[in-house]
Amino acid sequence: MSSLRTYAIKTYQNFLNILPNAEYSNSSGIKLVHDAGEKISSAEQRLILGATALMSQPFIDAHNRNVDENTRRVSVARTIAKIVAGTFTGFFIRKGCIKAIKAFSQLPGPKVPKYKTIFTPKDITKINSDEFIQYRNAMGTIVALIVMMFTNFAIDAPLTKFLTNKLVKKQEDKNAVK
């Protein structure tokens, strides 16, 4: 390692040592973030992410001064199509997988078929405990991620192309009327 690099690393570390440690109390903001992390499933998080992206990313593409007007319009249409297609499929696949895991992770009992306990942990005692609910959401999300490796090519890409073409055509028709 060169002496200049060593000096840079030591200087950076000294700078970090000067900064105070962050300490958070149990304020209402911290509680809200903690509760949201436990109560909002990945499907709902995908909706929030999609809504946020839809409000910001097309605006950024529309104001890109480094490209011509036509490229800008197509970029905005493609961005909107990608967000809508990704949010739509991401939400429904995640929600469906979480529901499927819930259906197949029931407590064993005399009237519960064996196949409905495939994803039930062996040491579970209470079906409505917070840990079990989080387990179901996590397992549903993991299964959804595996499913989405295939649906990204089978559903998202064609849907994005279809929506992009529709939005570009609508924009061209609007410009032709002017």
Side-chain angles (χ1 to χ4, degrees):
M1 191 181 319
S2 73
S3 60
L4 182 61
R5 182 173 165 86
T6 304
Y7 177 75
I9 291 171
K10 285 182 181 178
T11 304
Y12 181 68
Q13 187 59 51
N14 288 336
F15 172 74
L16 291 177
N17 291 341
I18 293 171
L19 296 175
N21 291 332
E23 295 181 22
Y24 302 101
S25 64
N26 281 338
S27 67
S28 60
I30 299 294
K31 184 173 176 7
L32 177 71
V33 170
H34 181 267
D35 290 347
E38 286 185 355
K39 305 296 181 197
I40 297 176
S41 73
S42 66
E44 289 132 5
Q45 290 172 6
R46 183 65 185 110
L47 278 180
I48 293 167
L49 184 66
T52 305
L54 199 55
M55 289 187 289
S56 61
Q57 290 177 353
F59 177 80
I60 294 167
D61 285 347
H63 292 85
N64 183 358
R65 289 184 232 147
N66 298 329
V67 296
D68 63 292
E69 185 64 30
N70 188 43
T71 304
R72 209 176 294 148
R73 284 196 302 264
V74 171
S75 178
V76 169
R78 182 157 175 77
T79 299
I80 290 171
K82 284 168 72 173
I83 293 168
V84 169
T87 301
F88 177 80
T89 58
F91 172 77
F92 285 107
I93 290 169
R94 283 177 175 93
K95 200 66 163 176
C97 288
I98 290 170
K99 283 187 179 273
I101 291 296
K102 186 176 181 180
F104 292 106
S105 63
Q106 297 181 9
L107 284 178
K111 295 188 180 197
V112 178
K114 184 116 176 114
Y115 72 91
K116 289 195 173 194
T117 63
I118 291 172
F119 292 107
T120 307
K122 300 295 179 216
D123 58 346
I124 192 74
T125 56
K126 260 176 62 179
I127 198 154
N128 288 328
S129 70
D130 283 340
E131 294 86 14
F132 190 56
I133 292 169
Q134 287 182 0
Y135 162 80
R136 283 176 163 173
N137 285 337
M139 280 298 290
T141 301
I142 291 168
V143 170
L145 289 174
I146 294 167
V147 169
M148 286 187 289
M149 284 193 290
F150 302 101
T151 61
N152 278 342
F153 301 105
I155 299 172
D156 281 14
L159 183 58
T160 298
K161 184 177 178 182
F162 172 77
L163 291 174
T164 300
N165 292 339
K166 287 288 186 186
L167 291 170
V168 168
K169 181 159 177 31
K170 185 174 183 176
Q171 187 71 18
E172 287 171 354
D173 292 346
K174 185 178 175 183
N175 288 341
V177 170
K178 287 182 182 178

